[in-house]
């Protein structure tokens, strides 16, 4: 089965170099590999010292690299959808805002849809994704679920409702409702979003890899990143500690940094003991060019089964209890005091830190209410019991 490996982490920790090292290792193993960047500040071309265009380009035997331009992808791969969006937002020009760019989140969405199309074409055995910094990566990965949730809420009116509302919307609000063809496109896009969700959360297909450095602020963000990935039900199966100083520098200034790094490396290993952990040394020169990137392969990746399928994190799950049902959501590294949850009609909303997630309830639980919750050893368990109004 073809696989996708997504590399994420705080900005500046070296995600691109480590993703590139995996791509070179994969190609060397004889696997047809694509290294793709979804970061708007692309630097794969800089790493491989190549000027890249709008499509994937071959740089080594079995290795292509691709810096996604979401606007180009929208215009060339999803023109029908973008045409409708253009009509919907045509009134924006009246306010002189036409240069603001595309709708927030659209870059992430179309980048992911492009990756899904590439995966489904089965040209590549391994797709390695160099993502933007943590916050943008989380936005990228959660966006398909979020948008599909909104589409479920907004489009049950169906084509009949659209036909009735279209003249009113155009007359009163100066907004053009989607016509029949556009509705078909929206429905197709909705199905694509569902497919995309399943692809990203399929533990047999997609692996999330977190890159960090042994520094206090980076370590704390790494913990939050890991928690958020679990909140949204992604499988994190690797941690990379980058830029580890050599122990034999014999310099008072660096000796202090070595002691600090040692402390945080130990802390990371304790906090992420369930994950495979890879240690990557600090290099005394810029990691540009194939030869320099191969140093990472030789120093940290050779001899390791870095492409093996590892299902580490557990899926959220509903299970029946003696008094009702229980939903388990895994939130490792979470602070109990920062977790909030509430029931909103047909959803459970879980909020921790700056992120929240709506989890739709199965139909069987529509007459149940939250009876309690507990958080223990990284697992949030939410208990449901029959509501009083529905007791038999």
């Amino acid at each position: 089965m073809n696989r996708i490996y997504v590399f994420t982490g705080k900005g500046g920790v070296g995600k691109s170099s480590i993703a590139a090292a995996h791509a070179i290792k994969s190609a060397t193993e004889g696997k047809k590999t694509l290294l793709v960047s979804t970061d708007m500040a692309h630097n794969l071309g800089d790493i491989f010292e190549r000027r890249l265009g709008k499509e994937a380009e071959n740089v080594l035997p079995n290795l292509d690299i691709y810096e996604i331009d979401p606007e180009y992808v929208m215009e060339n791969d999803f023109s029908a959808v973008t045409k409708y969006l253009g009509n919907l937002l045509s009134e924006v020009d009246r306010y002189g805002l036409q240069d603001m760019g595309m709708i927030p989140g659209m870059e992430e969405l179309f980048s992911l849809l492009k990756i899904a199309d590439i995966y489904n074409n089965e040209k590549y055995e391994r797709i390695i994704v160099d993502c933007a910094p943590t916050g943008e990566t989380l936005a990228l990965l959660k966006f398909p679920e979020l948008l599909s949730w909104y589409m479920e809420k907004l489009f049950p009116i169906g084509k009949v409702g659209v036909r009735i509302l279209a003249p009113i919307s155009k007359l009163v609000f100066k907004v053009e409702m989607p016509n029949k063809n556009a509705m078909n496109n929206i429905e197709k896009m909705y199905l694509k979003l569902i497919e995309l969700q399943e692809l990203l959360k399929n533990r047999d297909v997609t692996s999330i890899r977190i890159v960090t450095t042994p520094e206090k602020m980076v370590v704390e963000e790494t913990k939050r990143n890991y928690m958020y990935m679990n909140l949204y039900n992604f499988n994190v199966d690797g941690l990379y500690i980058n830029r580890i100083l050599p122990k034999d520098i014999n310099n008072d200034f660096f000796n202090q940094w070595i002691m600090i790094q040692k402390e945080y490396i130990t802390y990371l290993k304790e906090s992420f003991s369930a994950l495979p952990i890879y240690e990557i040394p600090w290099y005394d020169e810029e990691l540009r060019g194939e030869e320099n990137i191969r140093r990472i392969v030789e120093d940290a990746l050779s001899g390791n089964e870095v492409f093996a399928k590892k299902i580490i994190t557990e899926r959220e799950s509903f299970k029946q209890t003696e008094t009702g049902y229980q939903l388990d959501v895994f939130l490792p590294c979470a602070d109990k005091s920062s977790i909030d949850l509430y029931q909103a009609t047909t959803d459970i909303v879980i909020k921790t830190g700056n992120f929240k997630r709506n989890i739709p309830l199965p139909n069987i639980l529509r007459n149940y209410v939250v009876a309690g919750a507990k958080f223990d050893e990284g697992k949030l368990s939410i208990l449901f019991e029959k509501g009083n109004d529905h007791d038999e």
Side-chain angles (χ1 to χ4, degrees), residues 100-249:
M100 286 182 63
M102 60 181 73
I103 302 171
M106 286 296 106
E107 296 99 330
E108 291 89 350
L109 175 62
F110 285 100
S111 293
L112 279 181
L113 287 172
K114 183 62 177 179
I115 291 172
D117 279 353
I118 293 170
Y119 174 84
N120 290 328
N121 287 337
E122 299 184 347
K123 178 180 178 181
Y124 299 99
E125 295 171 88
R126 291 170 181 163
I127 300 173
I128 297 170
V129 184
D130 171 30
C131 273
T134 303
E136 295 174 57
T137 299
L138 286 164
L140 174 80
L141 294 175
K142 76 176 185 178
F143 197 77
E145 178 179 293
L146 179 65
L147 188 55
S148 63
W149 182 86
Y150 276 110
M151 291 183 77
E152 284 182 2
K153 306 299 181 185
L154 294 173
F155 286 100
I157 56 174
K159 296 177 182 178
V160 174
V162 169
R163 189 172 66 247
I164 295 172
L165 290 174
I168 301 173
S169 68
K170 194 166 185 178
L171 178 64
V172 178
F173 301 108
K174 310 299 182 183
V175 171
E176 183 176 338
M177 291 290 286
N179 58 27
K180 182 177 180 180
N181 291 333
M183 278 300 296
N184 287 334
N185 287 327
I186 291 171
E187 290 167 355
K188 289 175 184 176
M189 187 171 180
Y190 173 73
L191 293 176
K192 276 184 172 289
L193 288 171
I194 297 299
E195 181 184 351
L196 185 56
Q197 281 187 65
E198 291 302 313
L199 181 66
L200 294 173
K201 296 185 179 184
N202 185 338
R203 282 151 164 73
D204 291 323
V205 173
T206 303
S207 294
I208 310 293
R209 307 286 176 85
I210 300 178
V211 181
T212 188
T213 55
E215 306 167 48
K216 181 175 177 58
M217 290 182 63
V218 182
V219 168
E220 291 303 316
E221 179 161 328
T222 300
K223 289 172 60 181
R224 289 192 294 269
N225 192 2
Y226 185 49
M227 175 188 65
Y228 293 142
M229 290 297 174
N230 277 270
L231 172 64
Y232 286 99
N233 208 15
F234 297 109
N235 183 48
V236 179
D237 67 355
L239 179 74
Y240 296 78
I241 307 175
N242 195 21
R243 297 181 185 146
I244 300 176
L245 290 166
K247 298 177 181 178
D248 56 356
I249 293 180

Side-chain angles (χ1 to χ4, degrees), residues 261-279:
Q261 284 199 346
K262 182 179 179 181
E263 176 185 345
Y264 287 117
I265 290 170
T266 300
Y267 182 69
L268 283 165
K269 288 182 176 179
E270 291 173 351
S271 300
F272 295 90
S273 58
L275 301 181
I277 296 176
Y278 307 92
E279 298 182 29

